[in-house]
Amino acid sequence: MARMKFLCDSERCIECNACVTACKNEHEVPWGINRRRVVTLNDGQKGERSISMACMHCEDAPCMAVCPVDCFYKTEEGVVLHSKDLCIGCGYCFYACPFGAPQYPKVGNFGSRGKMDKCTFCAGGPEADNSKEEYAKYGANRLAEGKLPLCAEMCSTKALLAGDGDVIASIYKERVSRRGYGSGAWGWSTAYKGGLGA
Amino acid sequence: MTNFKRGFLAILALIAVAAISPVSAQQQPPANNDAVLLEQLKAPVQGRVSIPDAKSGTLIQPQGREWREMREGPLKSVGGWLLVLVVLALAAFMALRGRIKVDHGMSGRTIERFNGVERFAHWLVASCFIVLGLSGLNLTFGLSIVRPIVGPEAFASLTQAGKIAHNYLSFPFCLGVLLMAAMWIRHNIFNAVDAEWFAQGGGLLKKDVHPPAGKFNGGQKVLFWLVVLGSVALAVSGYMLMFPFYFTDIAGMQLSQLVHAIAGILLVAVILAHIYIGSIGMEGAFDAMGSGQVDVNWAKEHHSLWVKEQLGGKAAADD
Ligand code: SF4
Ligand code: SF4
């Protein structure tokens, strides 16, 4: 069975934010929440590069480990999902997540957080696949339809790769050997044991 | 700046390691160069984003790993065992010492120890603290204790309700602590009388030992300062958590959570002992905060200087 992962080849990312827009539109993500974002390092300087980042669906997921109500679960394909019915919006998953993936709608009083929202690898949530309830809470379930995440599909430069970890790693490695240098498979050594496994 | 410095030091360390063991340097996956390096430096990777959420400019924050290890490790194990040990110690104390009696028996005459406002402040803080403490402990220990009993759904609803209560009750709690601090601070300055009180173990260990004390004895003064200072730590860290990222960044949020949890567990441990000695642990003690009227003999044994001050010459004549 495939082990789903994202990989952003920052050598190719042109910071067009198409992935961000595609994600927001596909899942009707509310205002103020970004399941995916593009971070630019060394902006305007030599060595500038952009990386599209969302939940990496970590191997030993920190969010899962710290959640006080244990609302996370992992699919057979290694996708980390959660139940908004159980989440209490404590924000702990954000403190643990290395990639700033969990997002919280601002609800009620103070800076109070609502139910956590994050990238689902376009795989929905615990509700029945592609049901209305699932869509309202988690967005589209493309995986159930046999499709891969829309962000990577939309990527015009194919900087953002999504799919089976071994496949996208080999695509990336081939690029690296062709052009003679890597661009850092950002996040891989943090999210997965052994990183790219070079 | 600090990140920069940390990064710089780590680079130095890496160079040193590479110089000693060329093998480890070769193990670096070539395709992963800069990212691997940065991640191994354990420094956050900071960039710019075009969305309004400025904190999302942090690409990777590896220190979340340490926060996770603290929360899942020492906080649960050391914190949990501390609370168990306190309960066991109190049980052992009760078994060995029994209920501390009024040695001269009850006189039947009473004297006012705490007036209405003092008792209001105490019970305001106490009732809030019980809910705050339980809902707080639930966030750390509920998963392993409560959830297996009530099931995931009920546990989530309970924890959600606890979170809301925890947020709201923080306000009356802080008000109550401020009130207590304002009323009692002048009675809680340590002095020579307290040194003697501590030297005699507070008279808690043996019958018929009653070191002199004013309105508050040495032990109560310690409690006072633990509650006041502990509440300050809890309030500062707590409001940081309640208004996430208003005043601080991710590192500050992680630190706040740890400070809050540690201070909370310590204060719960202290208050367990306070509840014991103020209720079943000592005859006559509960009245002080119950009706506010304590038996004169109890007062003479535990707060002799205060009784003298209250009754003036009359107490001296009674002696
Ligand atoms: S990237 Fe963050 S939210 Fe996603 S699995 Fe890892 S820790 Fe959890
Ligand atoms: S915000 Fe929700 S998902 Fe995240 S740790 Fe808290 S309860 Fe779990």
Side-chain angles (χ1 to χ4, degrees):
Chain A
M1 175 140 275
R3 195 323 185 175
M4 294 303 176
K5 289 178 184 177
F6 284 121
L7 194 156
C8 183
D9 182 354
S10 67
E11 185 61 23
R12 286 180 171 227
C13 177
I14 55 169
E15 203 204 348
C16 68
N17 278 290
C19 49
V20 175
T21 314
C23 173
K24 292 218 79 159
N25 193 56
E26 177 74 354
H27 305 296
E28 287 175 15
V29 179
W31 177 253
I33 290 186
N34 279 276
R35 292 184 176 181
R36 180 169 283 288
R37 67 196 193 277
V38 179
V39 181
T40 304
L41 307 178
N42 303 319
D43 192 19
Q45 290 163 0
K46 207 168 152 243
E48 171 180 318
R49 59 181 40 181
S50 296
I51 297 112
S52 174
M53 183 60 86
C55 171
M56 291 290 277
H57 303 279
C58 303
E59 205 167 314
D60 170 24
C63 54
M64 246 169 137
V66 301
C67 176
V69 293
D70 198 14
C71 73
F72 290 91
Y73 63 99
K74 207 177 227 242
T75 70
E76 282 176 346
E77 290 167 312
V79 178
V80 177
L81 298 176
H82 73 295
S83 159
K84 287 196 183 183
D85 295 334
L86 299 183
C87 170
I88 62 162
C90 65
Y92 283 12
C93 44
F94 191 91
Y95 305 154
C97 174
F99 307 111
Q103 305 281 305
Y104 309 90
K106 271 194 187 157
V107 295
N109 317 283
F110 327 129
S112 197
R113 285 169 279 222
K115 311 271 186 196
M116 188 271 278
D117 189 276
K118 76 169 185 67
C119 159
T120 63
F121 208 87
C122 289
E127 277 79 1
D129 285 349
N130 286 313
S131 60
K132 251 200 204 139
E133 297 73 40
E134 185 188 47
Y135 188 82
K137 287 181 198 163
Y138 311 96
N141 190 341
R142 294 169 55 87
L143 244 55
E145 296 170 337
K147 299 174 189 160
L148 285 169
L150 190 63
C151 51
E153 197 164 293
M154 292 282 290
C155 181
S156 57
T157 63
K158 290 287 162 269
L160 185 60
L161 304 170
D164 179 45
D166 294 338
V167 175
I168 60 174
S170 73
I171 294 174
Y172 174 71
K173 280 181 199 162
E174 197 194 316
R175 287 181 190 173
V176 170
S177 73
R178 249 191 231 188
R179 58 182 187 226
Y181 55 93
S183 58
W186 290 88
W188 272 50
S189 60
T190 302
Y192 319 120
K193 277 176 210 118
L196 259 188
Chain B
M1 191 60 203
T2 44
N3 286 337
F4 180 80
K5 253 195 251 162
R6 231 192 293 157
F8 183 66
L9 285 177
I11 288 171
L12 281 185
L14 263 181
I15 293 172
V17 171
I20 307 166
S21 62
V23 187
S24 76
Q26 280 165 12
Q27 280 169 351
Q28 304 256 331
N32 233 352
N33 44 41
D34 42 4
V36 163
L37 200 67
L38 276 163
E39 287 178 37
Q40 284 175 351
L41 296 183
K42 297 194 158 200
V45 183
Q46 190 63 40
R48 175 196 59 78
V49 282
S50 52
I51 52 175
D53 181 12
K55 71 173 185 301
S56 72
T58 305
L59 182 66
I60 303 176
Q61 57 101 12
Q63 81 269 15
R65 200 177 301 147
E66 278 108 70
W67 179 80
R68 167 189 176 176
E69 274 160 18
M70 280 297 290
R71 172 173 156 78
E72 298 308 304
L75 192 61
K76 285 192 175 167
S77 56
V78 179
W81 280 112
L82 175 77
L83 294 178
V84 171
L85 283 179
V86 167
V87 172
L88 288 179
L90 289 172
F93 182 74
M94 184 156 85
L96 293 173
R97 179 70 169 89
R99 188 166 208 220
I100 298 173
K101 289 263 169 358
V102 177
D103 289 332
H104 296 88
M106 292 294 195
S107 68
R109 285 181 300 134
T110 60
I111 170 176
E112 185 178 69
R113 175 146 171 78
F114 292 117
N115 65 32
V117 183
E118 288 173 302
R119 279 178 285 140
F120 168 75
H122 173 270
W123 288 114
L124 179 67
V125 170
S127 49
C128 290
F129 188 81
I130 289 172
V131 180
L132 290 167
L134 287 176
S135 55
L137 290 176
N138 183 46
L139 273 195
T140 303
F141 302 107
L143 192 52
S144 14
I145 300 171
V146 186
R147 195 180 197 249
I149 301 171
V150 300
E153 282 80 23
F155 177 65
S157 320
L158 191 76
T159 311
Q160 173 87 59
K163 175 193 145 179
I164 294 167
H166 203 91
N167 283 351
Y168 279 97
L169 289 180
S170 70
F171 296 103
F173 175 80
C174 290
L175 272 177
V177 172
L178 281 177
L179 201 58
M180 291 199 308
M183 288 187 297
W184 294 340
I185 198 161
R186 66 193 172 94
H187 300 293
N188 280 289
I189 312 297
F190 289 100
N191 56 33
V193 177
D194 302 319
E196 178 56 26
W197 189 89
F198 283 114
Q200 298 196 27
L204 288 168
L205 306 176
K206 277 197 226 113
K207 237 173 109 71
D208 282 321
V209 179
H210 295 294
K215 174 152 178 157
F216 295 109
N217 62 40
Q220 290 170 320
K221 289 182 184 180
V222 169
L223 173 70
F224 174 85
W225 287 110
L226 285 175
V227 167
V228 170
L229 298 177
S231 299
V232 169
L234 285 168
V236 171
S237 57
Y239 288 121
M240 294 280 220
L241 294 169
M242 205 197 282
F243 299 92
F245 296 95
Y246 279 59
F247 315 106
T248 181
D249 59 1
I250 177 78
M253 294 299 294
Q254 290 160 337
L255 184 68
S256 299
Q257 194 281 333
L258 288 177
V259 168
H260 199 76
I262 293 168
I265 289 179
L266 290 178
L267 207 54
V268 167
V270 168
I271 294 303
L272 281 175
H274 172 63
I275 292 174
Y276 169 74
I277 203 72
S279 57
I280 51 173
M282 181 187 280
E283 185 185 9
F286 186 81
D287 295 331
M289 273 304 165
S291 61
Q293 309 289 323
V294 292
D295 193 90
V296 173
N297 278 358
W298 177 89
K300 279 184 189 163
E301 287 178 9
H302 297 289
H303 300 278
S304 52
L305 301 176
W306 172 74
V307 172
K308 269 189 198 134
E309 192 187 294
Q310 292 295 306
L311 299 181
K314 195 169 159 287
D318 276 5
D319 272 342

